[in-house]
Structure formats: structure tokens, C-alpha cells
Amino acid sequence: MSEEQKKNNYGADNIQALEGMEHVRMRPSMYIGDVGVRGLHHLVYEVVDNSIDEALAGHCDTIDVIINEDNSITTKDDGRGIPVDIHKKEGVSALEVVMTKIGAGGKFDKDSYKVSGGLHGVGVSCVNALSEHLKATVHRDGKIWEQEYERGKTLYPVKPVGETDYRGTIVTFKPDPQIFTQVTEYNYDTLASRLRELAYLNKGITITLTDKRETDEKGEYISETFHSEEGLKEFIRFLDGNREPLIGDVISMEGEKNDIPVEVAMIYNTSYSENLHSYVNNINTHEGGTHLSGFRRGLTTTLKKYADASGMLDKLKFDISGDDFREGLTAIVSVKVQEPQFEGQTKTKLGNREVTSAVSQAVSEMLEIYLEENPTDAKTIVQKVILAATARHAARKAREMVQRKTVMSGGGLPGKLSDCSEQDPEKCEVFLVEGDSAGGTAKQGRDRNFQAILPLRGKILNVEKAMQHKVFENEEIRNIFTALGVTIGTEEDSKALNLSKLRYHKIVIMCDADVDGSHIATLILTFFFRYMKDLIEAGHVYIATPPLYLVKKGQKKEYAWTDKERDALNEQFGGSASIQRYKGLGEMNAEQLWDTTMNPDFRTLRQVTIDNGTEADRIFSMLMGDEVPPRREFIEKNAVYANIDA
Ligand code: 0RA
């Protein structure tokens, strides 16, 4: 190729690259999911995933993530550094190709071991396209190289800027406010929980997160370092830290079957809930898939075989189902798949058929050995399974009662429900209100056309600590099921939800704005999280936000939701206003409750979302488990978990 041709070639390719980058800016959601909070944080994961890839290939063990003062992000790794030599096909520095070519993905050498990668695995070039500014610095072969970009366009060719003994890649990017129009502020906790997860999933790597936007009392930046020597085993201990273990230690295994690396860790605890978490290439597969089926199959067959041989089942009068083997089980399954096929509504369900048998075999082999070597634990597990099977039979009866009542319903709605007149579920809302008196106020204050009220008595059952049949026997919980029109349970899956007859598309939890109120809200949320997760995931669950203060002076009257608002109003009214603190919903009259909390034109409803399933699970077990101090502290600090969007 002549110099002239090369130049033209460069031009043409460059235009193509630009087109790709333009497309990312035109349709960002296609690449990063959305342009809200999630998408914003996704940018960080995308860059970090490249560093994790370097680590998985054995070239990197330290990754630093810094939230800078201006909400830009710097990531730093000690990998090989993105190559800077001229890329043969593209005719420009490989660094420039990685940064400006969509789909280059970074790794053009075939033998590279790339299995990590964000939800969409789109590459750093996407991050570049969606940043108002990005600077890439590469330390490689004794030299430092640099290139900067604005909204994905190079500002100058890759240039050497100095010498170095260090090796690695540093990327600083500032998300473009033209793209991220709602939020450009990073949430420390969101990044921390993902980076912690990555450290557990990829043992040996040290990941540090530093927030330079604020300092603590000592004048130091908030910073945490995540590192795990034992990987999933430690992850399980972290997740189950608030539950009481049933067996000595976490059971774990690691191996490779048919070229698929499989890692599993599990423990049984004294609770009644099943907590399975699965990952493919470090991505949380919320919807499960073939790897999770493989785990279930391996677990059931191996335990069943052991239990049969032990003679412990001889006197049992009924069958044991798959569910029974998983009561009180917390497990993580993590696989690395070269070409994962993701299916399902949120594309988080693994479809690759070959993975089922790989995981199933790995689990069987691991468990067989474990059960042989730990007979005491093995017996404890089998006893727990028998107990679960027994309870399931009791639960089935209780559940059938709920179902019968729901089916017969016609007029069989709970007596306490004040229903609305509208019939179209999409337009209907139901308020779950703490206490009969607040329920009464809400009933007077509501718009009865589309708002229904279901008062709940005091504290509702803590489902985290109750067996399934107790949950279904509980009157308040039965009222919730019947009022919502939701049925539960099929022969195969005792917790499968049927939402087709859902009677309200907005389910609003309305509690006092104090510690007790948030405890009750958390109890209700725990119930939804454990028994009606689909309802949360479909975006039907909301939390009402009653005001904390009424600020009055003369004829002027305004509500305040925070201390800051209260003080601002006081000032606005010229000072020395009378301030009433609402201790509970009961102190408001019907009109006030409508004006502030129920009227769609003025209220703020916070939609409950599940951002990180593993983290949410841990938090709920902590909030609702036996240990009181961490719970109090948490509730006081956060009111309720579950990333809440305005
Ligand atoms: C392309 C090829 C190679 C490494 C990388 C990209 C790479 C990308 C990123 C992004 C953040 N940190 C990174 N570290 C490396 C292979 C390099 C080689 O073969 O020498």
C-alpha cells in the first residue's frame, strides 16, 4: 500500500469508526442499557472489566478506581498496557483503535482469554463515545503514551509523554451530561458493592475504590480495598454473615469440565429461604439459566442418592421435591463461558446447553466427596431436607386455602380492604397502610375512584424467620395476596407467582416517617422480596414519602421533607415560624395526607428496584435476621434498602 493509499485508507476507516461512535451517541441505551443511574455506573464497569480481563489472563493484579471531585472516573491497572504500536489493518495506533472503534473490544489477538465483559460487553470505545472527555495513558516498554478524546473524537494522535518503570493502563473519563441528562453523580455504595463482588468472583485481585469528592473527620478520602484470597467461599461467608450456619464451613469446589471453568460455593443455614446466585463471566445472571439448572440437578441427585443409601428416608410417607433440598441453602455458581448466549427478558439467563452437564457433574463430584468425608454435616443436611419436605406438605394445605379463597373471591376480598371503583388495574393503586387509624385517615383522604386502601395491623410477620406454611397461614399476608389478586405456587415451583390477575399496578407502602415506620416498611418489603420478587422487578412496588414537618406562619403553610427544607421555609417566612413535627401518619388529617402523600400531582413515590440481587439478599437477611445491632444501625442510616429511584 502506498503512503497515499494508506492515508486514504486511514480516512475511510476513520469515518467508519466515527459512524460507529456516532451511533453509540444516538442510541446509547442499545449499548449500555439506559442513560440513567444504571448506565452511568455501567461505564465504570465496562472499563474495569477490561482490567479484569488482563488479570484473568495473568497479567494484572491491582486495579484502582477513583471518583474524582468533578464526578469523572479514573481507573488504573497494572496490566500489560493497551498496545500502542501501529495497528496493521487500521494504520493507526492500536490504542486509538481500541478507543474509537466500536466492536474492536480491545483484544484483536485470537489467543487472548476474554471472558469478562460488561452486561453488553461493548468495550471502552463506548465509554469514550459517551464521555465529554476521556484521557488514556499507557505505560508500556519504559514509555508513557497518551491520547485524549472529546465525545469519542481524538484530539491528537497518540504521543509519547515521558519515561516510566511502571506498566499498565490509566483511563480518566467524564460522562457526557448531554447523554446522561438525569444524573451525572456517581454513587459510592453502588460502585463499592459491584467492585466487592468482582473481588470475590476473581480471587487474588486487589481492587481499591477512592472517593475524592469528600473527606472524613480526619481529612482523608473515603476509600475501601477489596481483595479475596478464597473467592466464592468468602463471598458466601459475607452473604450469610447474618444467618446461623447449619454445617461447619462453606462447601466449595473449583474445576473445569469440558473446557468450562466452574466454581461453586454453598452452605446450609437455619433459615427457610433459598438463596441461589449465579454468574456467567462475572455477570450476575438474575434469571438463572443452564448453569443454575446444572447446579440444581447435581445437588438433588447427589443428596437424594446419599439420603436413600443412609436409610433416613425409609419412614417418610411422602415424596421429597427438588425445593426441599434447597431450603436454607445459600449458594453461588460462577462459570466462565467463551461464547455465552443470553436469553430472557433482561438478557440475564444463560442459554448454552452444554453448561448444564458441566456444572451438574462438577457439583456431583464435589458433593459426593464432601458427604463421605463429613458424615455429621451430611446427616444434618438430610434431616433439614426431611423437615423441609414435611413443612412443604403443611404449606401446601395452607396455600390451597389462600388459593380457594382467591378463586372464590368475586365478593371475597378482605373485609379490611377499601377498594376503588375503577376496574382497569393499570389505573388502580393500593396503599398498604400501617395501622387501622392511619388506614382510616387514608380512606377519607384518598380519591376513591382509583385508590384503594388496605390497612395492615402493626408489625407484619417477619417472613425471613418464618417457615413457608406459617407465612401462608398469616392473615395479614393472606389479605395482601387476596387484595392484590396474586396467586402463588404450582406443582413444580411452590413460589411461582401468577400476576395475570394483578388488581393494581401501583402498590404503595405507606408508613410513618420514623424508625418504627421504616422497620414496618422493611418487613413489608422483605415479604415482597422473598415472595413476590416479580412484582418488584416489574416495577409495581412503591414507597410513599410523607412529610416530616409542617411549617406555619400566619396564613402561610408549607410542608418539609428534610431538615434543610424546614429551615429554608422558616427563613422564607421571615423566621420564627411554628414548626410541627409529624411523628406519624396519624397526626395528619385526611386533607393533609392527600395533599402531601397521596395526590399524584404533588406526591413523590419512590419506586423500589433491585439493583444488585446478591447485595439485596444480604441486606434483607441482616435487617430481618437475629442480630439486632446491625439492623438498628442500618435502618437508622438508610430507612430502607433497595435502591430507590425518585
Ligand atoms: C488490547 C490488547 C491487549 C491488552 C489490552 C487491549 C488492554 C486493554 C485494557 C483496558 C484497560 N486496561 C487494559 N489493559 C490491556 C494485549 C496486550 C499485549 O498483547 O501485549
Side-chain angles (χ1 to χ4, degrees), residues 47 50-51 54 77 79-83 98 106-109 124 140 169:
V47 185
N50 284 278
S51 305
E54 275 296 282
D77 67 53
R80 287 169 294 181
I82 302 176
V98 169
K107 310 273 158 130
F108 6 80
D109 46 344
V124 246
R140 202 176 150 106
T169 305

Side-chain angles (χ1 to χ4, degrees), residues 357-467:
S357 61
V359 179
S360 163
Q361 281 174 41
V363 170
S364 294
E365 282 169 28
M366 153 190 92
L367 254 187
E368 243 163 64
I369 297 171
Y370 182 85
L371 296 171
E372 281 312 319
E373 288 177 354
N374 300 274
T376 320
D377 281 354
K379 271 211 186 69
T380 312
I381 295 173
V382 176
Q383 269 156 3
K384 167 106 179 161
V385 172
I386 293 173
L387 201 69
T390 315
R392 182 172 51 88
H393 279 258
R396 184 139 136 215
K397 291 209 186 91
R399 203 172 56 234
E400 278 165 3
M401 251 160 70
V402 177
Q403 225 115 336
R404 252 201 311 281
K405 288 199 174 168
T406 321
V407 173
M408 291 190 311
S409 52
L413 290 168
K416 291 212 259 165
L417 175 76
S418 305
D419 209 3
C420 52
S421 43
E422 172 64 52
Q423 296 285 320
D424 178 3
E426 253 186 71
K427 296 186 189 132
C428 293
E429 311 180 338
V430 63
F431 286 77
L432 308 184
V433 190
E434 154 198 4
D436 287 329
S437 87
T441 317
K443 198 177 150 186
Q444 286 165 23
R446 69 177 172 149
D447 181 335
R448 61 168 59 238
N449 281 320
F450 67 99
Q451 293 180 320
I453 308 292
L454 180 66
L456 298 173
R457 198 190 315 128
K459 304 240 157 175
I460 85 159
L461 180 73
N462 180 355
V463 302
E464 195 68 31
K465 291 205 283 189
M467 288 174 89

Side-chain angles (χ1 to χ4, degrees), residues 46-55 59-60 75-83 85 94-95 98-99 104-109 111-112 124 138 140-141 168-171:
E46 202 61 55
V47 185
V48 170
D49 279 335
N50 284 278
S51 305
I52 298 267
D53 276 339
E54 275 296 282
H59 302 291
C60 158
T75 70
K76 212 185 276 189
D77 67 53
D78 61 353
R80 287 169 294 181
I82 302 176
D85 46 334
L95 173 59
V98 169
M99 285 300 173
K107 310 273 158 130
F108 6 80
D109 46 344
D111 50 37
S112 80
V124 246
V138 171
R140 202 176 150 106
D141 305 325
T169 305
I170 304 160
V171 175

Side-chain angles (χ1 to χ4, degrees), residues 434 511-519 548 581-584 635 639:
E434 154 198 4
C511 293
D512 290 345
D514 63 2
V515 174
D516 277 345
S518 42
H519 188 200
L548 279 179
R581 192 190 150 108
Y582 289 122
K583 294 212 191 64
I635 292 177

Side-chain angles (χ1 to χ4, degrees), residues 18 22 169 245-246 338 352 386 510 557:
L18 270 182
E22 279 309 321
T169 305
L246 197 70
Q338 285 290 338
N352 304 53
I386 293 173
M510 188 158 73
K557 202 172 89 178

Side-chain angles (χ1 to χ4, degrees), residues 20 115 156 267 276 317 368 376 399 455 478 491-492 508 515 613:
V115 289
Y156 51 80
I267 196 164
L276 301 186
K317 291 193 195 64
E368 243 163 64
T376 320
R399 203 172 56 234
R478 287 230 299 257
E491 269 314 306
E492 303 87 69
V508 187
V515 174

Side-chain angles (χ1 to χ4, degrees), residues 113-128:
Y113 180 69
K114 180 174 172 65
V115 289
S116 162
L119 183 53
H120 305 261
V122 288
V124 246
S125 50
C126 275
V127 178
N128 193 16

